Amino acid sequence: MRGLLLLSLLGVACAAGRAPRVETQEEIPRWMNERDGVRYALIEHFLEVHDTERALEIIRVLRDEGVHTPLLDLYQGIVLREQGMTEDALRLLEASRIGMRRDARPHRELCVLYADLEQIDDAIDACDRAVNLDEKDAGAWNNLGYLLLAADRPTDAKDALEHAVDLDGTVARFRNNLGIAQAAAGLEDRALRTFMSTGSRADAHYNVGAAVERFATTDDALEWYRRALEFDAAHDLATEAVERLTSNHTESP
C-alpha cells in the first residue's frame, strides 16, 4: 500500500500503540498479596509506556522469588516480543494462553507477534479468538480489521473496524483504519467523511486516493490526489502521487 498519512499496513495498527487493557477474566490468585499487586500494576504501566527494561527488572525480581504464573508469562512474553526475541516470546505467550484459557489478552498479544512475523493467517486467527473472548476489546477489533485488509478482505475488515470505532471512537487511528477499509470496499464517500473526522480536507482526499490506489485503480486514485491539491496546493504527498501516476501514464505504450 502506498503510504497513507500516519499509517502503515501493519506497523501502526498492531505494533505501535497497545490496545486498551482489559481486566483479566481469571480470578486473582490468593498468593498475590498487596505488594505483588503493586508490582504487577507497575509492570503493566511500564508496558503501556513501552519501558520494557524496567518492566523486565520487576519480572526478574518476581522470578527470583519463585513466582511462575500464566500472567507473568504473558507480561514477560510481551517484553521479549518488544525486544525482538520472537522465539522466546512465542513460547511464553503460548504458555500464558494455555494457563489463561478464558482471557483474551494472550490471544491479542499473539496476534501482534504473528503480525510482526508476517504470519497473517495465524495473526487473524489469534485476533479472532481475542474478540470472541472479549467483544469489548476495541484494540483487538482494530488489529483484526487491519489484518483482514492485509489479507485483501476489505468487507470483513470494514465490519471489524466498525466494531472498534463503535467501542472507542476517540482513537484517531481506529477511524483512519476504518476509512481505509471503507475506501477498499468501494465506499469512497463514506471513507472521505471518516478521514475528515481526523484530519484536513486535503489529507482526507489524499488518504482516500492512497486506499483506492492500493485496492482499486490508479485512474480513480489520481482524481482523489488532484482533489487533495485543490484544497492544499502545497500538499507534498499528493503532489508526489500525481507526478508519479502521470509519469507512469506517459511512459506506458
Side-chain angles (χ1 to χ4, degrees), residues 113-229:
L113 177 60
Y114 287 131
D116 288 344
L117 295 172
E118 299 185 3
Q119 297 175 214
I120 304 304
D121 289 341
D122 290 334
I124 289 173
D125 288 343
C127 263
D128 193 54
R129 287 191 291 270
V131 298
N132 283 331
L133 285 166
D134 183 1
E135 295 180 352
K136 295 184 179 180
D137 188 338
W141 280 111
N142 172 73
N143 290 349
L144 175 61
Y146 221 69
L147 288 162
L148 290 168
L149 272 176
D152 286 327
R153 295 167 55 184
T155 301
D156 292 336
K158 178 183 68 68
D159 293 342
L161 289 161
E162 284 174 348
H163 277 293
V165 172
D166 286 344
L167 289 165
D168 190 352
T170 67
V171 181
R173 184 172 66 255
F174 295 176
R175 283 182 282 158
N176 281 334
N177 291 347
L178 175 58
I180 299 169
Q182 289 169 331
L187 304 173
E188 297 171 11
D189 289 339
R190 287 176 60 183
L192 179 64
R193 291 193 293 271
T194 300
F195 283 129
M196 286 176 59
S197 73
T198 65
S200 69
R201 287 181 176 272
D203 289 346
H205 283 79
Y206 171 82
N207 277 339
V208 175
V212 168
E213 182 178 358
R214 165 63 177 84
F215 292 100
T217 69
T218 56
D219 286 343
D220 290 340
L222 183 58
E223 289 305 309
W224 284 101
Y225 293 142
R226 284 172 171 158
R227 291 181 203 171
L229 291 175

Side-chain angles (χ1 to χ4, degrees), residues 103-120:
D103 197 303
R105 290 178 296 174
H107 298 288
R108 188 182 67 205
E109 301 303 336
L110 281 166
C111 170
V112 176
L113 177 60
Y114 287 131
D116 288 344
L117 295 172
E118 299 185 3
Q119 297 175 214
I120 304 304

Side-chain angles (χ1 to χ4, degrees), residues 9-150:
L9 187 58
L10 291 177
V12 170
C14 288
R18 191 168 310 284
R21 179 173 61 84
V22 297
E23 296 300 324
T24 178
Q25 297 175 17
E26 301 293 325
E27 292 184 4
I28 297 175
R30 292 183 179 180
W31 55 261
M32 187 185 288
N33 58 33
E34 184 175 349
R35 184 181 66 165
D36 291 325
V38 170
R39 290 189 293 188
Y40 269 61
L42 282 172
I43 292 172
E44 290 190 356
H45 167 72
F46 290 136
L47 289 176
E48 288 172 357
V49 299
H50 304 286
D51 190 342
T52 57
E53 289 299 328
R54 284 205 270 186
L56 191 57
E57 287 177 10
I58 301 174
I59 292 171
R60 286 195 188 104
V61 171
L62 288 165
R63 293 296 195 195
D64 288 342
E65 294 176 359
V67 177
H68 298 283
T69 66
L71 188 56
L72 197 58
D73 289 339
L74 174 67
Y75 293 149
Q76 189 170 359
I78 295 170
V79 168
L80 295 179
R81 184 193 67 211
E82 295 295 314
Q83 294 180 342
M85 301 177 65
T86 55
E87 292 183 0
D88 291 327
L90 180 59
R91 174 176 54 81
L92 286 164
L93 291 176
E94 283 289 354
S96 72
R97 177 186 62 81
I98 294 170
M100 303 166 68
R101 295 183 183 276
R102 295 163 48 213
D103 197 303
R105 290 178 296 174
H107 298 288
R108 188 182 67 205
E109 301 303 336
L110 281 166
C111 170
V112 176
L113 177 60
Y114 287 131
D116 288 344
L117 295 172
E118 299 185 3
Q119 297 175 214
I120 304 304
D121 289 341
D122 290 334
I124 289 173
D125 288 343
C127 263
D128 193 54
R129 287 191 291 270
V131 298
N132 283 331
L133 285 166
D134 183 1
E135 295 180 352
K136 295 184 179 180
D137 188 338
W141 280 111
N142 172 73
N143 290 349
L144 175 61
Y146 221 69
L147 288 162
L148 290 168
L149 272 176

